[in-house]
Amino acid sequence: MTKKERANFVMQTLERLYPETPIPLKHRDAFTLLVAVVLSAQCTDKRVNEVTPALFALADTPEKMAALPRERVEEIIRPCGLAPRKSAALVNLSKAILEKHGGRVPDNFEDLESLDGVGHKTASVVMSQAFGVPAFPVDTHIHRLAARWKLSAGKNVVQTEKDLKAAFPQERWNKLHLQIIFYGREHCTARGCDGHSCEICRALNGEKSSTRSRKKTSA
């Protein structure tokens, strides 16, 4: 298959498997989504969703978060890991939103990435899921699957993001990034698929698998 054919097969398969793509992190608006994404660093979405109800009960706006003692934030979010760093980031970014952005979460990459604790991936998630701006956030699942499906040979997420944006139509980026995450969690896991086991890997990498089988038979 050509790269375009591989990309088309991936899109068609994922659309069949995941016609609906609910956002995994529970949130109410752009600010609560931003908080949840910051907490999700090196933490599962499930754990974040277990922690955020208590946090949002006390601070679901920049005003409330900025007024909350950092130690209290740290106490609540401790199950998410990296609590000292994340709690400082949440309080600081809330203050910055109040002081520099009129209390509203910025809707552009430059201002989002200037906030404490917000890198390009976090900004991409907020831009795509809160504001509907085309973006292609790359997490470990997407980085791994892009390589397995030979859609990117990127050694880092920056190159993988660039390659995936080139491979897929812009209007599909926001939905596809979620579809690939779902597929990576449910079908093409790091240990559960060797690059030839799941439905998409079998179709895209079947030639290699067949060659390997013939070698074993002839031996």
Side-chain angles (χ1 to χ4, degrees), residues 102-176:
R104 298 178 65 85
V105 175
D107 59 358
N108 65 83
F109 280 97
E110 182 178 359
D111 288 337
L112 273 173
E113 291 180 29
S114 73
L115 299 175
D116 194 5
V118 179
H120 182 66
K121 177 199 160 190
T122 295
S124 294
V125 173
V126 174
M127 290 296 289
S128 64
Q129 298 179 357
F131 300 119
V133 175
F136 216 125
V138 175
D139 71 349
T140 54
H141 293 292
I142 294 177
H143 185 56
R144 171 169 50 83
L145 269 57
R148 281 186 175 177
W149 298 342
K150 297 181 177 61
L151 295 176
S152 173
K155 301 295 184 181
N156 54 62
V157 295
V158 175
Q159 185 60 48
T160 297
E161 178 183 347
K162 181 180 179 180
D163 291 341
L164 291 178
K165 283 182 173 180
F168 296 111
Q170 186 181 72
E171 64 270 17
R172 296 292 299 272
W173 292 354
N174 290 355
K175 188 174 186 179
L176 266 170

Side-chain angles (χ1 to χ4, degrees), residues 46-118:
K46 179 180 179 182
R47 178 60 57 85
V48 173
N49 289 336
E50 292 171 350
V51 167
T52 49
L55 180 62
F56 293 155
L58 295 177
D60 60 353
T61 66
E63 293 86 354
K64 294 177 182 177
M65 188 71 74
L68 205 61
R70 187 195 61 75
E71 294 78 11
R72 181 63 176 130
V73 178
E74 181 178 341
E75 177 185 357
I76 296 172
I77 69 171
R78 187 166 291 117
C80 291
L82 305 176
R85 190 172 77 190
K86 291 179 180 178
S87 61
L90 293 179
V91 172
N92 290 339
L93 70 82
S94 297
K95 291 178 179 178
I97 289 173
L98 292 173
E99 295 168 2
K100 300 179 180 179
H101 305 289
R104 298 178 65 85
V105 175
D107 59 358
N108 65 83
F109 280 97
E110 182 178 359
D111 288 337
L112 273 173
E113 291 180 29
S114 73
L115 299 175
D116 194 5
V118 179

